[in-house]
Amino acid sequence: MKYQYQIRLSPEEAANQQKLKKAVSRYGGIALKDINYVKILKRSIDARQKAVKINLKVDVYVNEEFSEEKIFLPDYQDVKNKEEIIIVGAGPAGLFAALRCIELGFKPIIIERGKDVRTRRRDLKALNIEHIVNEDSNYCFGEGGAGTYSDGKLYTRSKKRGDVDRILKLLVGFGATPEIMVNAHPHIGTNKLPAIIADIRERIITCGGEVLFETRLTDILIADNEVAGIKTLKGETIKAKKIILATGHSARDIFELLYRKNIKIEAKAFALGVRVEHPQELIDQIQYKCDSRGEFLPPSPYSIVKQIGGRGMYSFCMCPGGIIAPCATAPGEVVTNGWSPSKRDQPTANSGIVVELRLSDFKGSEKNPLAAMEFQKQIEQKAWLEGGSTQKVPAQRLVDFTEGKVSANLPATSYKPGVTSAELEKVFPGFIHKTLQEGFKEFNKSMRGFLTNDAVVHAPESRTSSPVRIPRDPYSFEHVQIKGLYPCGEGAGYAGGIISAAIDGERCAEKCVKSLQKS
């Protein structure tokens, strides 16, 4: 027989099958000899008390053989000669839209301004070491999108938008560890995600789809308020009745193109702040309330939300055992983000700490849909100047930041281009700077020891979400003005991360196919 239990155990018990069996035997009153296997279905860490516990949901196989359930990919068909759908962008929204198109019998043609996932690494190296920004190939642009080389976090709160488990199973089918189906905050790791992305692309091509790299969209052809195709920077024209626009939150040229063509877009509020790096050991000590986390606990994350003067301030994209990366998408700007390898084994922890912004913060936003984007751009350009007009970031030690002091010196951080001691008050508008200063003091009340000069503030963390929304009909998912245009994913303002973007990509593909089947 198979029984299911919810059980709380020590980290050591949860990490060892034999000790897990013994614990379940005690908990369920089952003879140990009768337990063949305990399968962990869900796992989360409870560090609220001094003694850290692991919450488990388990299936217990009693006098019954256990066999691991295999995850199979859908039966993707050959769509080489089927009707075509253009997908702009090879991030998670675009890739999963393409897979869903194939599943439903339509041929996807993905155009991606950046390079394939392997070749993209050379441009990331040039950005980190030589401070050279390739506008089409960087941490934000290229195969896999912004998530590929910035962590691969799979946690989402968007469960109402679609089937999260379906996306996780597809990722496992393409090579991700089955552990992502178990952990409360699943994570693939920047070192492992590229191979999975490449496998997805190969499946799309094998099934007759097309993926065109280094192909930048420069125009959307429209006739009678309906899409007719696209033009690319190479001078090509590709005709199409349907376009899924999944270009990501940093494709400013696309927002500007839509604005020039009088295609309706809207300014969208987002969050902006800094990226703070601590020694991972310190975060472990604070979170786990111990001198050392030991061998059975992972490097600890943290999550904090505060209200400061009526504004939300919160941690964002926290990376235990991680690295801060340069994420500029154009020369003359500085942008930070963070990532962790699969083992999260780096000596530092970093997190975006951001302040909630409102449309009223962006001058002229009621008339100018690009106002929030321009606000974002101006801060990134100020940071570039304060950092020394290179990809070095302006930085302060954390206590110095809260006290308004320029740091006399800075320790080496994980940010490879380097840091420059600067006064961050010159980067941010007063209300953001003040909110961050006061907020860090409040953070320290929740995490004693967080406010330390061993931590370094890097500026800015500015690409938290799209500063523009491309409005679409809530039922058809088509643009409210242009038929056949499907705004999709993070860049359009309908997702926030790998999973929610993938879900939105699938949903856009389904709506697109449904419309084609009716016509």
Side-chain angles (χ1 to χ4, degrees):
M1 294 185 67
K2 185 171 71 173
Y3 298 91
Q4 192 170 98
Y5 295 118
Q6 302 269 3
I7 188 169
R8 296 177 81 243
L9 302 176
S10 71
E12 185 175 1
E13 288 175 313
N16 180 280
Q17 177 68 202
Q18 196 55 39
K19 291 181 179 180
L20 181 54
K21 284 182 181 180
K22 289 180 180 178
V24 170
S25 171
R26 293 193 305 270
Y27 182 84
I30 305 167
L32 182 60
K33 65 181 178 59
D34 293 336
I35 300 176
N36 286 336
Y37 193 78
V38 180
K39 179 175 175 58
I40 299 174
L41 303 176
K42 293 293 178 184
R43 180 195 296 116
S44 64
I45 298 172
D46 185 350
R48 290 174 295 178
Q49 305 301 319
K50 189 168 185 179
V52 178
K53 296 292 183 182
I54 307 297
N55 296 322
L56 297 177
K57 180 180 179 181
V58 298
D59 275 347
V60 183
Y61 291 77
V62 179
N63 293 320
E64 181 178 328
E65 288 301 313
F66 167 75
S67 60
E68 189 69 63
E69 179 187 356
K70 292 183 179 180
I71 292 177
F72 295 98
L73 290 172
D75 184 18
Y76 295 118
Q77 53 191 295
D78 186 344
V79 295
K80 184 177 181 180
N81 298 314
K82 301 293 186 179
E83 189 166 359
E84 297 171 348
I85 295 172
I86 290 180
I87 299 170
V88 187
L95 290 173
F96 278 82
L99 288 173
R100 191 66 177 135
C101 284
I102 293 170
E103 216 177 331
L104 297 172
F106 287 76
K107 177 182 176 178
I109 300 177
I110 299 178
I111 70 163
E112 167 57 50
R113 69 192 297 162
K115 300 176 183 178
D116 68 86
V117 75
R118 182 181 295 275
T119 310
R120 191 177 167 193
R121 289 176 180 154
R122 298 171 194 162
D123 297 311
L124 300 185
K125 184 177 180 180
L127 178 55
N128 275 289
I129 296 174
E130 301 173 51
H131 301 212
I132 297 171
V133 180
N134 182 325
E135 294 188 59
D136 289 321
S137 180
N138 44 61
Y139 278 95
C140 292
F141 298 142
E143 185 179 22
T148 301
Y149 288 108
S150 57
D151 211 40
K153 287 185 183 68
L154 303 177
Y155 176 65
T156 179
R157 294 183 177 88
S158 303
K159 292 178 173 59
K160 292 181 180 178
R161 296 184 185 177
D163 188 346
V164 172
D165 280 349
R166 170 181 160 83
I167 302 299
L168 294 176
K169 285 179 179 178
L170 286 172
L171 287 167
V172 172
F174 279 106
T177 171
E179 286 291 295
I180 66 173
M181 302 291 299
V182 173
N183 293 326
H185 292 80
H187 165 260
I188 292 178
T190 300
N191 54 323
K192 293 189 174 181
L193 190 54
I196 294 166
I197 296 299
D199 284 348
I200 292 174
R201 176 235 304 156
E202 287 304 318
R203 182 59 61 98
I204 291 168
I205 293 171
T206 299
C207 292
E210 295 182 33
V211 182
L212 309 177
F213 293 114
E214 298 182 70
T215 304
R216 190 202 288 201
L217 172 71
T218 55
D219 198 10
I220 298 172
L221 305 178
I222 298 170
D224 298 325
N225 286 332
E226 189 168 352
V227 298
I230 62 168
K231 284 187 176 180
T232 74
L233 189 61
K234 297 176 182 179
E236 302 164 312
T237 297
I238 305 175
K239 294 182 179 180
K241 295 179 182 177
K242 303 290 181 182
I243 300 171
I244 295 175
L245 194 63
T247 51
H249 60 39
S250 293
R252 290 170 174 165
D253 59 321
I254 299 301
F255 300 143
E256 289 165 350
L257 169 66
L258 298 177
Y259 183 57
R260 286 197 307 272
K261 293 183 73 69
N262 292 316
I263 296 174
K264 185 175 177 59
I265 58 174
E266 302 166 348
K268 176 182 156 294
F270 65 107
L272 184 147
V274 296
R275 188 154 283 267
V276 180
E277 181 170 274
H278 287 78
Q280 180 63 55
E281 185 178 25
L282 174 61
I283 298 300
D284 291 340
Q285 290 169 353
I286 294 171
Q287 293 295 84
Y288 292 143
K289 305 172 184 66
C290 60
D291 292 332
S292 173
R293 71 171 185 268
E295 62 179 303
F296 300 109
L297 285 170
S300 177
Y302 63 83
S303 176
I304 310 180
V305 179
K306 295 288 184 181
Q307 284 290 317
I308 310 298
R311 284 185 189 270
M313 176 173 158
Y314 56 91
S315 55
F316 170 83
C317 184
M318 196 274 152
C319 302
I323 286 170
I324 300 178
C327 292
T329 53
E333 65 187 29
V334 162
V335 182
T336 66
N337 199 349
W339 62 269
S340 301
S342 57
K343 292 183 179 179
R344 292 180 162 172
D345 54 1
Q346 300 301 301
T348 51
N350 68 78
S351 180
I353 308 294
V354 295
V355 174
E356 167 198 14
L357 301 181
R358 304 165 184 145
L359 288 179
S360 57
D361 296 321
F362 314 127
K363 187 177 180 180
S365 62
E366 65 281 356
K367 294 181 180 178
N368 179 10
L370 301 179
M373 187 187 84
E374 293 298 332
F375 180 95
Q376 180 190 59
K377 188 189 297 185
Q378 287 166 12
I379 287 176
E380 294 168 1
Q381 290 170 345
K382 285 182 182 178
W384 184 75
L385 291 171
E386 292 299 318
S389 299
T390 69
Q391 282 302 303
K392 285 187 175 182
V393 292
Q396 283 177 272
R397 290 178 183 265
L398 182 53
V399 174
D400 291 346
F401 175 82
T402 62
E403 294 177 353
K405 298 177 183 176
V406 176
S407 298
N409 56 69
L410 293 170
T413 75
S414 66
Y415 184 81
K416 285 187 179 179
V419 293
T420 298
S421 184
E423 191 174 351
L424 298 188
E425 188 174 10
K426 293 180 180 178
V427 173
F428 298 107
F431 74 94
I432 294 178
H433 186 256
K434 187 68 175 176
T435 301
L436 288 167
Q437 284 183 312
E438 294 304 314
F440 281 125
K441 297 172 187 175
E442 291 299 313
F443 274 33
N444 198 58
K445 294 176 183 178
S446 298
M447 290 179 63
R448 295 289 181 186
F450 185 92
L451 186 57
T452 170
N453 256 354
D454 289 336
V456 179
V457 181
H458 303 63
E461 168 77 49
S462 51
R463 306 286 178 95
T464 55
S465 67
S466 178
V468 172
R469 176 174 283 109
I470 307 173
R472 69 187 187 193
D473 180 89
Y475 175 73
S476 71
F477 281 28
E478 285 182 302
H479 187 271
V480 294
Q481 175 189 357
I482 307 299
K483 294 294 182 184
L485 181 64
Y486 293 79
C488 181
E490 280 204 53
Y494 299 101
I498 291 172
I499 296 297
S500 59
I503 289 172
D504 200 56
E506 286 206 328
R507 294 175 74 198
C508 282
E510 290 163 0
K511 297 288 188 179
C512 188
V513 166
K514 186 175 181 180
S515 176
L516 285 169
Q517 289 171 336
K518 284 182 178 179
S519 60

